[in-house]
Amino acid sequence: MDTPLAFPDPLGWTFDPDILRRHDRPGPRYTSYPTAPHFHDGYGAGQFREAIARSNASARPLSLYVHVPYCTSPCFYCGCNRVISRDRDKGAPYVDRVLAEADRVAPLFAPGREVTQLHFGGGTPNFLEPEQLSRLVEGLRQRFCFSGDTGRDFSIELDPRSVSPDDIAVLAQLGFNRASLGVQDFDPAVQQAINRVQGVDETLAIIDACRRHGLRSVNVDLIYGLPKQTLEGFARTLETVLAVRPDRLAIYGYAHMPHLFKAQRQIVDAELPDAERKLALLGLAVERLSAAGYQYIGMDHFALPEEDLSRAQRAGSLHRNFMGYTTHADSDLLGLGVSAISRIDNSYSQNPRDLKDWEARIDAGGLPVWRGLELDADDVLRAELIQQLMCHGRVDGHALVARHGIDFEQYFAVELAALQHLAADGLARYHDGVVAATRQGRPLLRLIAMCFDRYLQAPQQPARYSRAI
């Protein structure tokens, strides 16, 4: 068979609408393996403590994720865990409880384990007033050992409609050096249909403020497949965004699952683009990003060639977790706040998704572990394999053999056979112990990874996951 391609190249994929249409089906996004639906309530605070104790022997650095669930209004497309409220006073008690959770968790970690990555997600993290954000960040700094290294990655998701350039100055003073801004689409008709009216000028002013105040990276999120979206309107949005050269771009496909996400029931099905137009919207984005010189990272993420994600991918150190793609592979992830997920040693744990449940557990004085999973040897092996696929588009079976003591072709005989239906369409290749996506297969990395997902062999509800495109 042919030798697998070396990745990445400047864009890293070939856009073939016929192949994408034929293979577009539901599948996990693999921010973890095993994926979150397989977590169970048999995992509790005791196992969480044991995982931290084991991890202390490694002295790995820490990544902190803080979930802020509040939003002042619902965006109808959203599937995130959020609480709608216009009462900004709710922020203060939420900060108190996150710091109370940190009080119980931080002493479990060995002294000196540096926090090299901090990410605030939501919801809308800037629902918190600047004073509340300051108190939360400084409180975490007192409880954990924040790295002073210039390579640290402190990021926050921002809604440009409710943040000011002056607020950006505060964030920079707190140590944030990355910001992610939600845009989705600047077309007024689309914004009305998704209940997210957002001006171009106010958005560009925040991007400018991020750069003026020294943030080294700005990410912009766009979505294709939204109601009333047209090629002409999306082209204008892409032109506007690319003119300011964000360091990273995420081009998400809208996943319409109103049976799971109540807000999506406000979207009129007839106003959604059909499959042909949705693929055309994606093709337009890929064309414009390619012409603008962005490097394809994986899934729906793109970055300028000299951005940290691109450098990490070329160096082979790119990583993927619940915060998306990251350069901090060798770290344990600790999640704080409602619904937050941790990956400590070889285990996952998650806080309650319901705000009142999380609050009650914090107020009761314990660790708010709701569910989780201890990875067995097979999970660890497959997690490493899927991580390689999602980050680099290829798997070196020889390295897995050396680390895990397996016969690659024998161990994955069923999976390699399943891969053949993708290989037949030119999406993947297997040769001499190496599995690789082709240029045509790069947009469908999650489908290649699914061939190696042991948990998908069990019966499941087909609507559990979003579609690949």
Side-chain angles (χ1 to χ4, degrees), residues 398-467:
H398 302 291
L400 291 178
V401 167
R403 279 193 291 273
H404 297 273
I406 60 167
D407 180 312
F408 187 81
E409 292 193 350
Q410 181 179 7
Y411 195 96
F412 291 113
V414 172
E415 289 79 3
L416 292 173
L419 189 70
Q420 290 308 304
H421 81 283
L422 298 178
D425 259 348
L427 301 178
R429 293 172 177 168
Y430 176 69
H431 174 73
D432 190 25
V434 177
V435 176
T438 64
R439 284 180 59 91
Q440 291 177 325
R442 288 280 286 175
L444 297 167
L445 286 175
R446 62 204 283 193
L447 297 189
I448 300 174
M450 286 168 65
C451 294
F452 297 89
D453 187 336
R454 174 169 59 94
Y455 292 83
L456 292 184
Q457 298 172 11
Q460 60 168 314
Q461 295 296 322
R464 174 180 288 177
Y465 303 109
S466 62
R467 300 185 73 85

Side-chain angles (χ1 to χ4, degrees), residues 260-298:
L260 293 180
F261 307 117
K262 188 176 180 180
Q264 293 186 357
R265 298 171 194 169
Q266 303 298 316
I267 288 178
V268 179
D269 288 11
E271 294 178 348
L272 291 168
D274 60 21
E276 295 296 321
R277 185 154 36 120
K278 189 173 181 181
L279 276 173
L281 289 163
L282 174 60
L284 175 67
V286 172
E287 175 191 339
R288 298 295 171 87
L289 289 169
S290 177
Y294 282 82
Q295 179 173 312
Y296 178 57
I297 301 301

Side-chain angles (χ1 to χ4, degrees), residues 116-401:
T116 56
Q117 186 176 36
L118 172 69
H119 183 75
F120 277 57
T124 306
N126 57 288
F127 176 93
L128 300 179
E129 301 286 0
E131 178 277 327
Q132 295 167 353
L133 268 172
S134 297
R135 186 162 64 88
L136 180 49
V137 173
E138 292 304 325
L140 294 173
R141 195 188 306 272
Q142 293 167 12
R143 292 161 173 81
F144 294 93
C145 178
F146 277 25
S147 172
D149 188 89
T150 56
R152 71 174 186 252
D153 188 349
F154 288 6
S155 57
I156 185 168
E157 298 170 12
L158 299 174
D159 183 341
R161 300 172 300 170
S162 56
V163 68
S164 73
D166 289 341
D167 295 336
I168 302 300
V170 174
L171 295 176
Q173 291 169 3
L174 290 172
F176 287 102
N177 53 24
R178 297 188 187 280
S180 181
L181 279 62
V183 170
Q184 323 323 338
D185 195 321
F186 281 130
D187 188 315
V190 176
Q191 292 187 352
Q192 289 287 346
I194 62 175
N195 196 41
R196 187 187 175 98
V197 177
Q198 178 175 328
V200 172
D201 290 343
E202 65 181 334
T203 303
L204 300 187
I206 298 306
I207 294 175
D208 178 67
C210 288
R211 288 176 168 156
R212 282 191 292 107
H213 291 291
L215 275 68
R216 71 167 181 259
S217 183
V218 177
N219 175 82
V220 169
D221 291 345
L222 302 178
I223 297 179
Y224 67 92
L226 293 172
K228 296 190 176 181
Q229 207 165 34
T230 65
L231 286 170
E232 296 76 15
F234 200 47
R236 288 191 295 270
T237 293
L238 288 165
E239 181 180 5
T240 299
V241 170
L242 291 174
V244 295
R245 301 288 286 176
D247 305 273
R248 302 178 184 178
L249 275 161
I251 315 291
Y252 296 110
Y254 171 58
H256 190 56
M257 297 190 287
H259 57 289
L260 293 180
F261 307 117
K262 188 176 180 180
Q264 293 186 357
R265 298 171 194 169
Q266 303 298 316
I267 288 178
V268 179
D269 288 11
E271 294 178 348
L272 291 168
D274 60 21
E276 295 296 321
R277 185 154 36 120
K278 189 173 181 181
L279 276 173
L281 289 163
L282 174 60
L284 175 67
V286 172
E287 175 191 339
R288 298 295 171 87
L289 289 169
S290 177
Y294 282 82
Q295 179 173 312
Y296 178 57
I297 301 301
M299 290 291 291
D300 17 48
H301 286 68
F302 302 79
L304 291 173
E306 296 310 308
E307 210 276 338
D308 287 354
L309 283 184
S310 299
R311 291 175 180 269
Q313 189 177 59
R314 291 194 296 271
S317 58
L318 188 67
H319 186 65
R320 183 166 173 81
N321 60 22
F322 294 101
M323 296 184 284
Y325 285 101
T326 170
T327 59
H328 294 266
D330 188 28
S331 62
D332 282 317
L333 171 63
L334 173 64
L336 300 171
V338 61
S339 78
I341 297 176
S342 301
R343 167 72 191 264
I344 307 291
D345 191 61
N346 286 328
S347 76
Y348 293 108
S349 60
Q350 184 174 19
N351 288 347
R353 292 179 55 84
D354 178 74
L355 179 61
K356 290 188 180 301
D357 187 2
W358 175 78
E359 290 175 340
R361 293 178 188 230
I362 294 295
D363 294 346
L367 293 171
V369 179
W370 167 44
R371 62 176 186 169
L373 183 71
E374 291 273 6
L375 278 68
D376 60 25
D378 180 77
D379 292 332
V380 172
L381 167 61
R382 292 173 189 269
E384 182 179 343
L385 184 154
I386 289 173
Q387 181 76 215
Q388 289 185 22
L389 268 175
M390 299 305 294
C391 291
H392 307 293
R394 66 197 308 271
V395 176
D396 183 352
H398 302 291
L400 291 178
V401 167

